[in-house]
PDB file of all heavy atoms in Angstrom:
ATOM      1  N   TRP A 593      -4.157  68.362 -53.079  1.00 97.00           N
ATOM      2  CA  TRP A 593      -4.117  69.794 -53.321  1.00 97.00           C
ATOM      3  C   TRP A 593      -2.666  70.197 -53.600  1.00 97.00           C
ATOM      4  O   TRP A 593      -1.809  70.133 -52.707  1.00 97.00           O
ATOM      5  CB  TRP A 593      -4.614  70.568 -52.091  1.00 97.00           C
ATOM      6  CG  TRP A 593      -5.025  71.992 -52.395  1.00 97.00           C
ATOM      7  CD1 TRP A 593      -4.249  73.041 -52.586  1.00 97.00           C
ATOM      8  CD2 TRP A 593      -6.360  72.465 -52.478  1.00 97.00           C
ATOM      9  NE1 TRP A 593      -4.961  74.174 -52.845  1.00 97.00           N
ATOM     10  CE2 TRP A 593      -6.291  73.861 -52.782  1.00 97.00           C
ATOM     11  CE3 TRP A 593      -7.617  71.908 -52.332  1.00 97.00           C
ATOM     12  CZ2 TRP A 593      -7.397  74.648 -52.920  1.00 97.00           C
ATOM     13  CZ3 TRP A 593      -8.734  72.689 -52.489  1.00 97.00           C
ATOM     14  CH2 TRP A 593      -8.640  74.058 -52.773  1.00 97.00           C
ATOM     15  N   LEU A 677      -5.944  64.425 -48.616  1.00 97.00           N
ATOM     16  CA  LEU A 677      -7.290  64.847 -48.276  1.00 97.00           C
ATOM     17  C   LEU A 677      -8.191  63.584 -48.337  1.00 97.00           C
ATOM     18  O   LEU A 677      -8.394  63.010 -49.408  1.00 97.00           O
ATOM     19  CB  LEU A 677      -7.841  65.906 -49.286  1.00 97.00           C
ATOM     20  CG  LEU A 677      -7.056  67.235 -49.231  1.00 97.00           C
ATOM     21  CD1 LEU A 677      -7.370  68.039 -50.501  1.00 97.00           C
ATOM     22  CD2 LEU A 677      -7.458  68.034 -47.999  1.00 97.00           C
ATOM     23  N   PHE A 680     -15.148  62.141 -46.031  1.00 97.00           N
ATOM     24  CA  PHE A 680     -16.264  61.296 -45.500  1.00 97.00           C
ATOM     25  C   PHE A 680     -17.481  62.178 -45.426  1.00 97.00           C
ATOM     26  O   PHE A 680     -17.406  63.409 -45.536  1.00 97.00           O
ATOM     27  CB  PHE A 680     -15.898  60.694 -44.139  1.00 97.00           C
ATOM     28  CG  PHE A 680     -15.422  61.729 -43.138  1.00 97.00           C
ATOM     29  CD1 PHE A 680     -16.339  62.262 -42.204  1.00 97.00           C
ATOM     30  CD2 PHE A 680     -14.102  62.157 -43.113  1.00 97.00           C
ATOM     31  CE1 PHE A 680     -15.937  63.162 -41.273  1.00 97.00           C
ATOM     32  CE2 PHE A 680     -13.698  63.116 -42.165  1.00 97.00           C
ATOM     33  CZ  PHE A 680     -14.598  63.588 -41.260  1.00 97.00           C
ATOM     34  N   TYR A 688     -19.471  68.097 -47.848  1.00 96.00           N
ATOM     35  CA  TYR A 688     -18.667  66.936 -47.365  1.00 96.00           C
ATOM     36  C   TYR A 688     -17.802  67.378 -46.211  1.00 96.00           C
ATOM     37  O   TYR A 688     -17.722  68.563 -45.833  1.00 96.00           O
ATOM     38  CB  TYR A 688     -17.767  66.370 -48.488  1.00 96.00           C
ATOM     39  CG  TYR A 688     -16.871  67.440 -49.137  1.00 96.00           C
ATOM     40  CD1 TYR A 688     -15.624  67.769 -48.590  1.00 96.00           C
ATOM     41  CD2 TYR A 688     -17.289  68.118 -50.311  1.00 96.00           C
ATOM     42  CE1 TYR A 688     -14.817  68.725 -49.181  1.00 96.00           C
ATOM     43  CE2 TYR A 688     -16.494  69.093 -50.881  1.00 96.00           C
ATOM     44  CZ  TYR A 688     -15.262  69.378 -50.290  1.00 96.00           C
ATOM     45  OH  TYR A 688     -14.453  70.346 -50.859  1.00 96.00           O
ATOM     46  N   TYR A 689     -17.138  66.411 -45.598  1.00 96.00           N
ATOM     47  CA  TYR A 689     -16.070  66.653 -44.619  1.00 96.00           C
ATOM     48  C   TYR A 689     -14.807  66.040 -45.214  1.00 96.00           C
ATOM     49  O   TYR A 689     -14.850  65.087 -45.937  1.00 96.00           O
ATOM     50  CB  TYR A 689     -16.329  65.941 -43.272  1.00 96.00           C
ATOM     51  CG  TYR A 689     -17.612  66.364 -42.582  1.00 96.00           C
ATOM     52  CD1 TYR A 689     -18.817  65.801 -42.960  1.00 96.00           C
ATOM     53  CD2 TYR A 689     -17.578  67.204 -41.465  1.00 96.00           C
ATOM     54  CE1 TYR A 689     -19.988  66.149 -42.300  1.00 96.00           C
ATOM     55  CE2 TYR A 689     -18.758  67.577 -40.801  1.00 96.00           C
ATOM     56  CZ  TYR A 689     -19.966  67.020 -41.219  1.00 96.00           C
ATOM     57  OH  TYR A 689     -21.121  67.347 -40.566  1.00 96.00           O
ATOM     58  N   TRP A 690     -13.629  66.679 -44.918  1.00 97.00           N
ATOM     59  CA  TRP A 690     -12.388  65.966 -45.221  1.00 97.00           C
ATOM     60  C   TRP A 690     -11.328  66.236 -44.191  1.00 97.00           C
ATOM     61  O   TRP A 690     -11.340  67.277 -43.545  1.00 97.00           O
ATOM     62  CB  TRP A 690     -11.923  66.216 -46.646  1.00 97.00           C
ATOM     63  CG  TRP A 690     -11.435  67.579 -47.042  1.00 97.00           C
ATOM     64  CD1 TRP A 690     -11.014  68.609 -46.229  1.00 97.00           C
ATOM     65  CD2 TRP A 690     -11.295  68.094 -48.360  1.00 97.00           C
ATOM     66  NE1 TRP A 690     -10.617  69.665 -46.936  1.00 97.00           N
ATOM     67  CE2 TRP A 690     -10.796  69.397 -48.287  1.00 97.00           C
ATOM     68  CE3 TRP A 690     -11.519  67.528 -49.639  1.00 97.00           C
ATOM     69  CZ2 TRP A 690     -10.561  70.182 -49.407  1.00 97.00           C
ATOM     70  CZ3 TRP A 690     -11.287  68.291 -50.748  1.00 97.00           C
ATOM     71  CH2 TRP A 690     -10.803  69.578 -50.633  1.00 97.00           C
ATOM     72  N   TRP A 691     -10.521  65.198 -43.998  1.00 97.00           N
ATOM     73  CA  TRP A 691      -9.370  65.308 -43.104  1.00 97.00           C
ATOM     74  C   TRP A 691      -8.204  65.766 -43.959  1.00 97.00           C
ATOM     75  O   TRP A 691      -7.719  65.045 -44.836  1.00 97.00           O
ATOM     76  CB  TRP A 691      -9.087  63.956 -42.429  1.00 97.00           C
ATOM     77  CG  TRP A 691      -8.089  63.991 -41.359  1.00 97.00           C
ATOM     78  CD1 TRP A 691      -7.475  65.094 -40.836  1.00 97.00           C
ATOM     79  CD2 TRP A 691      -7.567  62.873 -40.628  1.00 97.00           C
ATOM     80  NE1 TRP A 691      -6.603  64.695 -39.802  1.00 97.00           N
ATOM     81  CE2 TRP A 691      -6.647  63.375 -39.672  1.00 97.00           C
ATOM     82  CE3 TRP A 691      -7.799  61.493 -40.690  1.00 97.00           C
ATOM     83  CZ2 TRP A 691      -5.953  62.493 -38.803  1.00 97.00           C
ATOM     84  CZ3 TRP A 691      -7.129  60.645 -39.850  1.00 97.00           C
ATOM     85  CH2 TRP A 691      -6.244  61.154 -38.908  1.00 97.00           C
ATOM     86  N   ASN A 692      -7.758  66.981 -43.737  1.00 97.00           N
ATOM     87  CA  ASN A 692      -6.724  67.617 -44.563  1.00 97.00           C
ATOM     88  C   ASN A 692      -5.391  67.415 -43.817  1.00 97.00           C
ATOM     89  O   ASN A 692      -5.061  68.163 -42.882  1.00 97.00           O
ATOM     90  CB  ASN A 692      -7.067  69.092 -44.694  1.00 97.00           C
ATOM     91  CG  ASN A 692      -6.137  69.803 -45.673  1.00 97.00           C
ATOM     92  OD1 ASN A 692      -5.071  69.297 -46.015  1.00 97.00           O
ATOM     93  ND2 ASN A 692      -6.507  71.013 -46.068  1.00 97.00           N
ATOM     94  N   TRP A 696      -2.175  73.663 -45.877  1.00 90.00           N
ATOM     95  CA  TRP A 696      -1.568  74.980 -45.650  1.00 90.00           C
ATOM     96  C   TRP A 696      -0.041  74.924 -45.811  1.00 90.00           C
ATOM     97  O   TRP A 696       0.741  75.220 -44.896  1.00 90.00           O
ATOM     98  CB  TRP A 696      -1.993  75.528 -44.264  1.00 90.00           C
ATOM     99  CG  TRP A 696      -3.432  75.836 -44.180  1.00 90.00           C
ATOM    100  CD1 TRP A 696      -4.052  77.014 -44.456  1.00 90.00           C
ATOM    101  CD2 TRP A 696      -4.464  74.914 -43.793  1.00 90.00           C
ATOM    102  NE1 TRP A 696      -5.441  76.878 -44.267  1.00 90.00           N
ATOM    103  CE2 TRP A 696      -5.727  75.630 -43.897  1.00 90.00           C
ATOM    104  CE3 TRP A 696      -4.506  73.564 -43.412  1.00 90.00           C
ATOM    105  CZ2 TRP A 696      -6.950  75.046 -43.577  1.00 90.00           C
ATOM    106  CZ3 TRP A 696      -5.726  73.007 -43.139  1.00 90.00           C
ATOM    107  CH2 TRP A 696      -6.925  73.708 -43.201  1.00 90.00           C
ATOM    108  N   ALA A 702      -5.938  69.228 -40.360  1.00 94.00           N
ATOM    109  CA  ALA A 702      -7.216  69.792 -39.917  1.00 94.00           C
ATOM    110  C   ALA A 702      -8.378  69.038 -40.539  1.00 94.00           C
ATOM    111  O   ALA A 702      -8.232  68.400 -41.588  1.00 94.00           O
ATOM    112  CB  ALA A 702      -7.299  71.266 -40.297  1.00 94.00           C
ATOM    113  N   VAL A 703      -9.522  69.083 -39.857  1.00 96.00           N
ATOM    114  CA  VAL A 703     -10.785  68.638 -40.467  1.00 96.00           C
ATOM    115  C   VAL A 703     -11.552  69.841 -40.905  1.00 96.00           C
ATOM    116  O   VAL A 703     -11.753  70.789 -40.105  1.00 96.00           O
ATOM    117  CB  VAL A 703     -11.576  67.832 -39.449  1.00 96.00           C
ATOM    118  CG1 VAL A 703     -12.947  67.411 -40.048  1.00 96.00           C
ATOM    119  CG2 VAL A 703     -10.834  66.581 -38.999  1.00 96.00           C
ATOM    120  N   GLU A 704     -11.977  69.807 -42.157  1.00 94.00           N
ATOM    121  CA  GLU A 704     -12.760  70.915 -42.703  1.00 94.00           C
ATOM    122  C   GLU A 704     -14.120  70.385 -43.137  1.00 94.00           C
ATOM    123  O   GLU A 704     -14.205  69.263 -43.598  1.00 94.00           O
ATOM    124  CB  GLU A 704     -12.079  71.534 -43.929  1.00 94.00           C
ATOM    125  CG  GLU A 704     -10.735  72.183 -43.605  1.00 94.00           C
ATOM    126  CD  GLU A 704     -10.083  72.736 -44.905  1.00 94.00           C
ATOM    127  OE1 GLU A 704      -9.451  71.949 -45.628  1.00 94.00           O
ATOM    128  OE2 GLU A 704     -10.224  73.928 -45.167  1.00 94.00           O
ATOM    129  N   GLN A 705     -15.124  71.239 -42.969  1.00 93.00           N
ATOM    130  CA  GLN A 705     -16.470  70.889 -43.446  1.00 93.00           C
ATOM    131  C   GLN A 705     -16.843  71.807 -44.618  1.00 93.00           C
ATOM    132  O   GLN A 705     -16.698  73.046 -44.482  1.00 93.00           O
ATOM    133  CB  GLN A 705     -17.454  71.077 -42.333  1.00 93.00           C
ATOM    134  CG  GLN A 705     -18.921  70.746 -42.759  1.00 93.00           C
ATOM    135  CD  GLN A 705     -19.932  71.004 -41.673  1.00 93.00           C
ATOM    136  OE1 GLN A 705     -19.642  71.648 -40.685  1.00 93.00           O
ATOM    137  NE2 GLN A 705     -21.135  70.506 -41.859  1.00 93.00           N
ATOM    138  N   ALA A 706     -17.235  71.257 -45.689  1.00 92.00           N
ATOM    139  CA  ALA A 706     -17.714  72.011 -46.840  1.00 92.00           C
ATOM    140  C   ALA A 706     -19.232  71.971 -46.809  1.00 92.00           C
ATOM    141  O   ALA A 706     -19.850  70.937 -46.701  1.00 92.00           O
ATOM    142  CB  ALA A 706     -17.183  71.446 -48.156  1.00 92.00           C
ATOM    143  N   LYS A 711     -16.150  76.478 -46.904  1.00 87.00           N
ATOM    144  CA  LYS A 711     -15.486  75.615 -45.950  1.00 87.00           C
ATOM    145  C   LYS A 711     -15.322  76.313 -44.577  1.00 87.00           C
ATOM    146  O   LYS A 711     -15.094  77.499 -44.509  1.00 87.00           O
ATOM    147  CB  LYS A 711     -14.122  75.176 -46.446  1.00 87.00           C
ATOM    148  CG  LYS A 711     -14.164  74.229 -47.627  1.00 87.00           C
ATOM    149  CD  LYS A 711     -12.751  73.680 -47.916  1.00 87.00           C
ATOM    150  CE  LYS A 711     -12.758  72.798 -49.175  1.00 87.00           C
ATOM    151  NZ  LYS A 711     -12.874  73.575 -50.390  1.00 87.00           N
ATOM    152  N   SER A 712     -15.363  75.470 -43.545  1.00 87.00           N
ATOM    153  CA  SER A 712     -15.081  75.882 -42.196  1.00 87.00           C
ATOM    154  C   SER A 712     -14.170  74.801 -41.568  1.00 87.00           C
ATOM    155  O   SER A 712     -14.329  73.639 -41.851  1.00 87.00           O
ATOM    156  CB  SER A 712     -16.324  76.061 -41.322  1.00 87.00           C
ATOM    157  OG  SER A 712     -17.185  76.975 -41.924  1.00 87.00           O
ATOM    158  N   THR A 713     -13.240  75.234 -40.749  1.00 90.00           N
ATOM    159  CA  THR A 713     -12.321  74.321 -40.058  1.00 90.00           C
ATOM    160  C   THR A 713     -12.896  73.917 -38.713  1.00 90.00           C
ATOM    161  O   THR A 713     -13.251  74.767 -37.891  1.00 90.00           O
ATOM    162  CB  THR A 713     -10.942  74.952 -39.888  1.00 90.00           C
ATOM    163  OG1 THR A 713     -10.425  75.323 -41.173  1.00 90.00           O
ATOM    164  CG2 THR A 713      -9.961  73.989 -39.258  1.00 90.00           C
ATOM    165  N   LEU A 714     -13.038  72.609 -38.492  1.00 91.00           N
ATOM    166  CA  LEU A 714     -13.566  72.113 -37.227  1.00 91.00           C
ATOM    167  C   LEU A 714     -12.542  71.776 -36.206  1.00 91.00           C
ATOM    168  O   LEU A 714     -12.737  71.977 -35.000  1.00 91.00           O
ATOM    169  CB  LEU A 714     -14.478  70.903 -37.525  1.00 91.00           C
ATOM    170  CG  LEU A 714     -15.584  71.104 -38.580  1.00 91.00           C
ATOM    171  CD1 LEU A 714     -16.358  69.808 -38.702  1.00 91.00           C
ATOM    172  CD2 LEU A 714     -16.492  72.258 -38.166  1.00 91.00           C
ATOM    173  N   VAL A 715     -11.423  71.188 -36.632  1.00 90.00           N
ATOM    174  CA  VAL A 715     -10.330  70.804 -35.716  1.00 90.00           C
ATOM    175  C   VAL A 715      -9.029  71.047 -36.479  1.00 90.00           C
ATOM    176  O   VAL A 715      -8.927  70.774 -37.675  1.00 90.00           O
ATOM    177  CB  VAL A 715     -10.373  69.310 -35.376  1.00 90.00           C
ATOM    178  CG1 VAL A 715      -9.380  68.971 -34.262  1.00 90.00           C
ATOM    179  CG2 VAL A 715     -11.797  68.883 -34.948  1.00 90.00           C
ATOM    180  N   PHE A 750     -14.270  65.211 -33.061  1.00 93.00           N
ATOM    181  CA  PHE A 750     -15.186  66.361 -32.949  1.00 93.00           C
ATOM    182  C   PHE A 750     -16.627  65.836 -33.010  1.00 93.00           C
ATOM    183  O   PHE A 750     -16.874  64.687 -33.447  1.00 93.00           O
ATOM    184  CB  PHE A 750     -14.950  67.350 -34.090  1.00 93.00           C
ATOM    185  CG  PHE A 750     -15.351  66.865 -35.455  1.00 93.00           C
ATOM    186  CD1 PHE A 750     -16.581  67.086 -35.987  1.00 93.00           C
ATOM    187  CD2 PHE A 750     -14.448  66.090 -36.214  1.00 93.00           C
ATOM    188  CE1 PHE A 750     -16.972  66.599 -37.242  1.00 93.00           C
ATOM    189  CE2 PHE A 750     -14.786  65.636 -37.466  1.00 93.00           C
ATOM    190  CZ  PHE A 750     -16.051  65.867 -37.974  1.00 93.00           C
TER     191      PHE A 750
END
Side-chain angles (χ1 to χ4, degrees):
W593 199 286
L677 295 162
F680 53 96
Y688 54 85
Y689 302 80
W690 67 20
W691 190 5
N692 187 346
W696 293 270
V703 176
E704 296 178 279
Q705 179 184 14
K711 291 190 184 72
S712 301
T713 302
L714 304 181
V715 189
F750 69 93

